[in-house]
Amino acid sequence: MQTMCTTKRINSKYIDTGTTWLIDHCLLIDENGKIEKVCSQAEANALNRQYEVEEELNFPHSLLMPGCVNTHSHAFQVLLRPTTGQPQHFQDWVDRFLYPLVLELDEDSLYASALLVFSQMLKQGITCVGEFFYLHNLPDGASSRQRNVKAVLQAARDLGMRISLIRALYDQGEKEGQRRFKEPWEQAIEQTRQLAQQYESHPLISVLPAPHSLHGASAELIQAAAALAQELDTPWHIHLAEQKHDLELAQSLYGTTPVGALEKLGVLDHRTVLVHAIWLSEADKDLVAQKQVGIAYNPITNMALGDGVADLPGWVKRRVSVGLGTDANIETNLFAEARTAEYLQRVQSLSMGCVPAARSLYRMLHLQGGKLLGLPIGELKVGMEADFQIVDLEHPSLLPAAFAADVETAVLNQLIFSAWPESALQAVFVGGELVVSKGQLVQVREESVREEIRRILA
Ligand SMILES: [Zn+2]
């Protein structure tokens, strides 16, 4: 009999693949960190001689599920947490808090803030972060020559976390803070292409282009970014229709709605991911569905910044792929984002069950997020990356779901609708490697996260 090589076997009472609930199954992970097989433990025992299992782990009271995929984050904004309660409105937040902060940031503070916020994400089951990064320049406006972006990538590498670097392209704006972002559009495209090529074969880093917004990116830049996404075979992201004011802006720049502006530029297709997409007409929502555009939705940040409430039931009804994001990183928990998404609908519509069944919300945590980042993640099946989390269903915070008659429905509901602490998370794996164990980081010392923050604020 031919011997196949498998490095790890993980047994769990329950496995949810992202689409299917399994009992007494296991994951077999190959030496490249990909899923080789998902099968019953009895089948794996029978196949035992075909596999060289170097390590076998048992989780007899647990649920093993895909790692959460965070489709939209700005890591450095974690430094704004202490001021979250003070601004008067969105523009006040940008002018009085966000821009003064960006003028001060350097490589050390970019690294320290990313290490802080990525480590918190990892400890709450987020295995991949879509980091929308736009701070490309030095304080005087000269290019950092990729040094800033590399500081952020280094934080993810140190933690063993997967990162999709959503490389923002920004060529407009005259405010002082904007000199940290603004580049001639040809330079923005070229640096994005170089970065993508540099990490083409990296196991944990990928790069995709993102014209920042209708106010930050010119028409030429939006079109060039969409073309670059096609060249690189990736999705491309853009902030769109976050604030009501964005309707007036699109009207003044393009004489139409925000979605209409992208359609006018000829760039709207299955590669496009709209970040927020709150202020859309019914006709624009139909167009988004028809063109198979995705949505990166950030309900907690939208709530904190007074942006508005997206039409989530409308997206689900139209079968649009919606992923979730932590955006300003006021919190770093996608289960909380999913819960908030549904509760915002309840408050607005004065009814309940606005998004049908917990599984619709559950799919937004990982399966659909993986699609929006164009990566083989978010679902546990053969050939996908072995990015997953294991939750102790007998942790008091997750009882009584584990003992319910319909355990699948009970557990999915409870995971989303009741808050549970980091201590219920037994393990997190990225690319088959252990990165969090019993609520503690494995690859970075917990103290060093605190020390880095203390150092930059000293
Ligand atoms: Zn954003």
Side-chain angles (χ1 to χ4, degrees):
M1 192 179 285
Q2 199 185 0
T3 302
M4 294 166 73
C5 189
T6 287
T7 55
K8 287 190 183 86
R9 171 176 166 176
I10 319 280
N11 303 309
S12 181
K13 176 66 184 170
Y14 302 108
I15 293 181
D16 192 281
T17 64
T19 61
T20 312
W21 182 269
L22 303 167
I23 303 171
D24 292 328
H25 272 55
C26 65
L27 279 192
L28 298 175
I29 302 163
D30 73 17
E31 63 274 20
N32 297 314
K34 296 194 183 342
I35 297 169
E36 184 151 2
K37 204 169 174 62
V38 184
C39 64
S40 71
Q41 291 171 25
E43 189 188 342
N45 293 341
L47 287 170
N48 217 6
R49 271 179 295 169
Q50 278 185 41
Y51 291 92
E52 252 175 49
V53 177
E54 284 178 9
E55 190 181 2
E56 183 168 350
L57 300 172
N58 291 302
F59 295 92
H61 310 291
S62 305
L63 168 66
L64 187 160
M65 64 185 150
C68 293
V69 179
N70 187 354
T71 60
H72 192 73
S73 154
H74 305 290
F76 75 85
Q77 291 183 12
V78 71
L79 299 175
L80 289 172
R81 274 180 183 172
T83 62
T84 304
Q86 297 169 32
Q88 295 302 304
H89 49 77
F90 181 81
Q91 201 53 50
D92 184 43
W93 174 74
V94 170
D95 291 337
R96 234 164 24 95
F97 298 94
L98 184 66
Y99 284 175
L101 171 68
V102 302
L103 285 168
E104 285 174 16
L105 295 169
D106 60 13
E107 282 171 69
D108 288 345
S109 48
L110 288 168
Y111 173 80
S113 52
L115 193 70
L116 172 65
V117 78
F118 292 166
S119 66
Q120 289 176 348
M121 290 177 193
L122 215 48
K123 288 165 77 172
Q124 294 179 334
I126 293 172
T127 49
C128 178
V129 58
E131 173 63 17
F132 196 112
F133 186 75
Y134 52 92
L135 225 126
H136 307 302
N137 298 334
L138 300 171
D140 64 2
S143 170
S144 78
R145 298 176 180 274
Q146 316 275 32
R147 288 208 302 275
N148 288 353
V149 72
K150 286 185 179 171
V152 172
L153 292 174
Q154 191 59 48
R157 292 169 94 142
D158 289 349
L159 292 159
M161 188 176 195
R162 190 177 305 282
I163 182 166
S164 169
L165 200 286
I166 303 174
R167 205 283 188 187
L169 303 102
Y170 204 113
D171 67 342
Q172 301 189 134
E174 299 308 324
K175 288 190 175 169
E176 214 185 345
Q178 289 169 313
R179 69 167 183 257
R180 299 289 320 247
F181 327 141
K182 217 168 91 170
E183 307 163 283
W185 74 263
E186 297 90 341
Q187 177 185 315
I189 291 289
E190 192 42 41
Q191 290 217 359
T192 307
R193 182 184 283 117
Q194 277 176 19
L195 201 67
Q197 286 166 349
Q198 200 176 337
Y199 292 101
E200 204 177 355
S201 53
H202 195 284
L204 297 180
I205 299 175
S206 54
V207 176
L208 60 89
H212 180 274
S213 54
L214 293 183
H215 71 264
S218 64
E220 294 90 334
L221 183 51
I222 294 171
Q223 285 173 322
L228 182 62
Q230 196 163 14
E231 177 191 320
L232 300 172
D233 193 18
T234 64
W236 63 277
H237 290 211
I238 184 167
H239 290 106
L240 203 88
E242 175 176 4
Q243 289 261 311
K244 202 171 183 182
H245 165 74
D246 290 327
L247 296 175
E248 290 156 40
L249 182 88
Q251 197 64 41
S252 69
L253 290 172
Y254 293 95
T256 177
T257 62
V259 168
L262 296 184
E263 175 68 347
K264 209 167 171 178
L265 292 173
V267 295
L268 211 54
D269 68 13
H270 68 283
R271 294 185 189 279
T272 313
V273 174
L274 307 179
V275 181
H276 307 303
I278 295 170
W279 296 94
L280 265 55
S281 67
E282 294 303 303
D284 280 349
K285 289 176 204 166
D286 291 341
L287 184 62
V288 163
Q290 186 201 324
K291 298 267 183 178
Q292 296 177 289
V293 169
I295 306 291
Y297 182 34
N298 312 281
I300 293 178
T301 298
N302 291 152
M303 195 162 66
L305 298 181
D307 292 335
V309 181
D311 179 13
L312 195 61
W315 293 135
V316 173
K317 191 178 74 195
R318 290 177 176 86
R319 297 181 181 280
V320 169
S321 286
V322 177
L324 297 168
T326 60
D327 196 359
N329 292 311
I330 298 156
E331 291 189 41
T332 46
N333 187 323
L334 284 203
F335 293 94
E337 297 287 344
R339 176 165 61 248
T340 304
E342 165 70 15
Y343 283 174
L344 278 169
Q345 297 299 325
R346 292 184 185 187
V347 170
Q348 200 179 38
S349 67
L350 306 182
S351 63
M352 292 172 73
C354 303
V355 174
R359 199 166 268 284
S360 293
L361 288 166
Y362 184 76
R363 271 199 294 269
M364 296 175 197
L365 297 171
H366 22 65
L367 186 79
Q368 292 178 179
K371 263 200 217 170
L372 301 193
L373 297 179
L375 296 173
I377 56 172
E379 190 178 0
L380 303 175
K381 63 179 187 186
V382 177
M384 302 287 267
E385 302 288 351
D387 293 6
F388 56 93
Q389 53 184 322
I390 301 169
V391 183
D392 178 8
L393 293 184
E394 295 197 4
H395 189 280
S397 65
L398 285 167
L399 291 176
F403 305 130
D406 178 0
V407 66
E408 174 183 348
T409 305
V411 166
L412 295 193
N413 270 306
Q414 194 163 342
L415 281 171
I416 292 172
F417 289 106
S418 54
W420 43 278
E422 289 169 10
S423 57
L425 197 56
Q426 291 169 295
V428 179
F429 286 78
V430 176
E433 296 296 326
L434 184 68
V435 291
V436 173
S437 176
K438 299 191 181 85
Q440 297 289 301
L441 300 171
V442 172
Q443 304 196 10
V444 162
R445 283 185 312 117
E446 293 279 336
E447 300 74 36
S448 70
V449 177
R450 202 166 26 243
E451 283 160 13
E452 289 289 336
I453 290 292
R454 185 180 287 131
R455 194 162 66 88
I456 63 161
L457 294 177

